[in-house]
């Protein structure tokens, strides 16, 4: 019997010694004591709950919020934009908060408005115009820090995430909250 494989490039895939499995993205990962997906999810969920219970959000008047980057004060690389993106997504899904463009997206926003205004191909009655954006009432910002201790066969990492919501008009701090995480690794 002769088999013909169409669309191949001279080799047939065969399983090797390594195996790749899909897992639950919301499941607890405990591979290392470095900051990971479980930590990100715990922080985002905790901070979102806190924000939704704050007076500014719970009053049901759809406050307009801008989100600043979280400052990474740890000794390891942490994608802090993922933290703020997760918090923003959870708040957006709640339907209780609206978001104004943040500082990271402002340049793109201005370029798009200018492009529409300067391009003769757009119907002027349908384009976005300068001076029409809604300013945020509140600013979210935060930081993540860590303390690492190591002795012989034990490594302990303590993370602290702090989030603040500032009233932009009054300059008053409307909310501050923290989430702490401790991870310990023992060799042997």
């Amino acid at each position: 019997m002769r088999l013909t494989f169409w669309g191949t490039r001279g080799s047939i895939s065969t399983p090797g010694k390594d195996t790749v499995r899909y897992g639950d993205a919301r499941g607890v990962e405990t591979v290392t004591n470095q900051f990971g997906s479980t930590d990100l999810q715990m922080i985002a969920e905790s901070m979102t709950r806190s924000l939704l219970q704050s007076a500014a959000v719970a009053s049901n008047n759809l406050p307009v919020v801008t989100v600043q980057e979280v400052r990474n004060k740890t000794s390891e690389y942490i994608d802090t934009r993922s933290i703020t993106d997760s918090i923003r997504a959870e708040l957006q899904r709640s339907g209780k908060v609206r978001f104004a463009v943040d500082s990271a997206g402002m340049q793109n926003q201005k370029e798009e408005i200018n492009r529409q205004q300067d391009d003769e191909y757009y119907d002027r009655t349908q384009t976005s115009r300068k001076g029409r954006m809604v300013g945020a009432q509140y600013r979210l910002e935060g930081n993540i820090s860590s303390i690492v201790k190591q002795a012989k066969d034990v490594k302990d990492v303590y993370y602290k995430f702090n989030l603040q919501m500032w009233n932009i008009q009054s300059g008053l701090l409307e909310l501050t909250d923290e989430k702490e995480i401790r991870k310990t690794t023992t060799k042997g």
Side-chain angles (χ1 to χ4, degrees):
M1 170 183 215
R2 181 175 178 191
L3 292 175
T4 303
F5 292 94
W6 299 101
T8 62
R9 293 189 169 200
S11 64
I12 298 173
S13 298
T14 57
K17 62 179 179 152
D18 295 335
T19 302
V20 175
R21 291 184 309 265
Y22 284 96
D24 179 8
R26 306 287 296 170
V28 176
E29 56 87 12
T30 55
V31 177
T32 70
N33 60 7
Q34 293 177 321
F35 192 85
S37 61
T38 300
D39 306 319
L40 184 149
Q41 291 164 2
M42 287 187 341
I43 287 171
E45 289 169 3
S46 175
M47 293 300 110
T48 301
R49 268 193 311 275
S50 185
L51 286 162
L52 289 173
Q53 293 170 359
S54 71
V57 176
S59 64
N60 289 325
N61 62 358
L62 290 173
V64 179
V65 177
T66 188
V67 181
Q68 303 300 310
E69 291 292 322
V70 170
R71 290 177 301 281
N72 181 1
K73 297 181 175 183
T74 71
S75 59
E76 64 185 281
Y77 171 77
I78 295 175
D79 182 2
T80 58
R81 185 67 181 199
S82 289
I83 298 171
T84 55
D85 286 349
S86 293
I87 292 170
R88 184 186 349 240
E90 289 292 323
L91 289 171
Q92 185 74 38
R93 276 194 288 274
S94 77
K96 296 184 177 187
V97 177
R98 294 177 297 162
F99 291 94
V101 66
D102 61 14
S103 59
M106 182 55 87
Q107 187 60 39
N108 290 339
Q109 185 74 11
K110 290 179 354 186
E111 287 173 6
E112 178 59 25
I113 290 172
N114 287 334
R115 185 178 70 82
Q116 289 182 22
Q117 290 296 300
D118 297 340
D119 196 324
E120 61 194 46
Y121 296 107
Y122 285 101
D123 177 350
R124 293 279 181 221
T125 64
Q126 300 293 316
T127 60
S128 296
R129 288 175 268 171
K130 294 178 184 176
R132 301 285 176 108
M133 291 184 0
V134 174
Q137 299 163 296
Y138 300 96
R139 181 183 76 249
L140 286 179
E141 62 183 39
N143 59 68
I144 185 166
S145 57
S146 67
I147 299 171
V148 179
K149 291 188 176 185
Q150 191 164 0
K152 206 169 186 179
D153 294 338
V154 177
K155 182 177 182 181
D156 183 77
V157 184
Y158 167 81
Y159 294 100
K160 182 170 81 169
F161 182 85
N162 177 275
L163 186 71
Q164 302 166 1
M165 184 169 68
W166 293 89
N167 182 313
I168 295 173
Q169 180 72 34
S170 68
L172 295 174
L173 179 63
E174 298 286 341
L175 170 84
T176 187
D177 199 3
E178 294 180 338
K179 174 67 178 169
E180 299 170 311
I181 299 170
R182 179 175 301 278
K183 298 172 98 174
T184 304
T185 303
T186 306
K187 291 182 182 179

